[in-house]
Amino acid sequence: MKRCMPYLMFHGRAAEAAVFYKDLFNLEIVEMKRYGDAEFQTPEGAEDYLIHGYLKGPCLELMLADSTEPEPEFPVRSVSFMIDCDSEEEIQRLYKGLLEDGRRLMELQETFWGAVYAKVEDRFGFTWDLNYEQPRELK
């Protein structure tokens, strides 16, 4: 396998999400293409929708696009993204950032496995598990 990266689907909010994730996760926007730029028939009203977005950082890559299908009344997202943080400051920053117009699923807290952990649904409906393994004392 060469690589694996999440491909997140939206309904008219992919460009907004790209900027949000770029800023939050310190990613570079590598490519942003809109349906109106594509060389095939585009549904009316979708010209400004994102057909392909690619964001990249040292440890995280995301692909994003807008669907031209109507948004389901009850979207089902059965995948959660796990971010293993480098520091307590990083987990605090990501937790606060994802909570902006998002929803807390599990409070940021210390766990029985010796980590600081939280679960947040962001403003776009995606779930993020945040984990920071605290340094263990050598015995």
Side-chain angles (χ1 to χ4, degrees):
M1 183 180 314
K2 188 173 180 180
R3 66 182 167 173
C4 177
M5 72 181 81
Y7 200 116
L8 309 179
M9 293 300 294
F10 299 84
H11 295 275
R13 296 182 71 194
E16 174 191 350
V19 172
F20 176 75
Y21 295 136
K22 173 189 81 73
D23 293 342
L24 183 65
F25 296 116
N26 299 314
L27 303 174
E28 171 192 356
I29 294 179
V30 177
E31 192 167 31
M32 298 279 273
K33 301 269 186 199
R34 304 210 179 259
Y35 277 90
D37 301 327
E39 295 181 15
F40 60 87
Q41 191 172 13
T42 299
E44 189 175 325
E47 298 82 11
D48 289 331
Y49 279 16
L50 200 63
I51 193 169
H52 175 73
Y54 176 44
L55 288 75
K56 185 176 183 177
C59 299
L60 176 64
E61 295 180 50
L62 296 175
M63 295 185 79
L64 310 99
D66 284 308
S67 173
T68 59
E69 297 295 317
E71 185 170 9
E73 185 177 356
F74 302 104
V76 176
R77 294 191 172 98
S78 58
V79 172
S80 180
F81 301 100
M82 176 69 178
I83 302 291
D84 197 19
C85 299
D86 289 327
S87 67
E88 199 150 347
E89 292 77 24
E90 182 180 44
I91 196 170
Q92 290 279 347
R93 182 182 64 77
L94 293 178
Y95 180 68
K96 288 176 186 168
L98 289 166
L99 274 177
E100 288 178 19
D101 297 322
R103 183 168 70 104
R104 179 182 302 107
L105 301 175
M106 184 176 169
E107 186 78 39
L108 186 65
Q109 61 188 274
E110 291 192 17
T111 65
F112 66 88
W113 64 87
V116 176
Y117 179 86
K119 185 183 283 277
V120 177
E121 181 181 284
D122 71 19
R123 67 179 77 174
F124 305 104
F126 293 100
T127 302
W128 299 85
D129 290 70
L130 305 173
N131 189 71
Y132 168 59
E133 293 284 333
Q134 298 172 330
R136 299 177 195 261
E137 292 181 26
L138 295 175
K139 293 183 180 184

